[in-house]
Amino acid sequence: VKADLQAELNNGNIVLSNVTSTGMIRLSSQNGRITAKGSGSDLSIQTDNGMVDVSDVKKSVEAAVINGNIRAERIAGALDMETTSGNLSAEDAYSSIEAVSVAGNIHIASGKVGGNWNVSNTAGNVYLAWPGQADVQVDASTSFGRPETDFPLTVKGGRISGTLGAGTFRIKASSLAGLSLMNNN
């Protein structure tokens, strides 16, 4: 498509597969599931009540849900996910990651850290996994949970901090509940 692409529904599901645009692709539904895979364009996805499932995107993804889950896999560009009530999961997001959940769990595992990660969860667990050879500065905290890590980082009280490798990228995470930072090798 040689322009921006926009699809909008009140009630119903949207499926986008192997579509690339020279502009932004925007998908939105008030009530419904949105599935997008195999795009070479920047994606903006929003649903009030439903699930977002996005995979194999060569550029950036912005996804927001009020009530529902977001699952992202194999995202080459920046990934920005937000939900009020639901779970967030990302697997193999290779650039920067922003993930915010008010009530739900966050699970992110990637074979590469290619940008800063900023993860925040108000009422739920945070699980982050990345390769041991990544160059990252870590600053993570939990208010009520017990933090755990298998990296050579400093664990003191509810905080995990330290630098791995050259410390090129920053991984910042906060949670009121559980916090796990694990080696994804």
Side-chain angles (χ1 to χ4, degrees):
V1 178
K2 293 187 178 186
D4 287 350
L5 174 66
Q6 183 167 331
E8 190 173 322
L9 289 173
N10 286 330
N11 297 298
N13 300 328
I14 298 173
V15 177
L16 179 86
S17 181
N18 298 317
V19 175
T20 299
S21 167
T22 57
M24 172 73 80
I25 295 176
R26 290 179 175 82
L27 308 173
S28 65
S29 175
Q30 286 184 338
N31 299 295
R33 179 185 184 124
I34 299 176
T35 303
K37 61 182 178 177
S39 178
S41 300
D42 293 320
L43 295 178
S44 175
I45 302 170
Q46 190 273 326
T47 183
D48 291 345
N49 300 294
M51 179 175 174
V52 170
D53 191 355
V54 59
S55 61
D56 301 308
V57 176
K58 295 179 180 148
K59 291 199 177 178
S60 69
V61 173
E62 292 179 10
V65 176
I66 294 174
N67 296 302
N69 302 327
I70 299 173
R71 184 175 69 192
E73 297 177 339
R74 296 172 303 281
I75 309 300
L79 174 61
D80 187 343
M81 305 184 293
E82 183 174 346
T83 184
T84 302
S85 179
N87 299 317
L88 301 177
S89 70
E91 190 170 320
D92 292 328
Y94 298 127
S95 186
S96 64
I97 299 172
E98 293 277 335
V100 177
S101 177
V102 175
N105 296 316
I106 298 175
H107 185 280
I108 298 172
S110 189
K112 173 184 172 187
V113 177
N116 295 329
W117 293 10
N118 191 8
V119 179
S120 173
N121 198 349
T122 303
N125 299 314
V126 171
Y127 176 91
L128 304 179
W130 65 86
Q133 71 274 13
D135 296 317
V136 295
Q137 295 176 7
V138 176
D139 181 12
S141 64
T142 178
S143 297
F144 300 111
R146 215 174 107 184
E148 63 177 355
T149 186
D150 59 0
F151 288 111
L153 296 166
T154 301
V155 179
K156 185 173 183 181
R159 183 169 294 281
I160 301 173
S161 61
T163 301
L164 301 172
T168 306
F169 299 111
R170 184 187 79 250
I171 294 180
K172 185 170 177 64
S174 64
S175 171
L176 289 180
L179 175 65
S180 300
L181 307 180
M182 298 300 179
N183 192 327
N184 195 32
N185 282 343

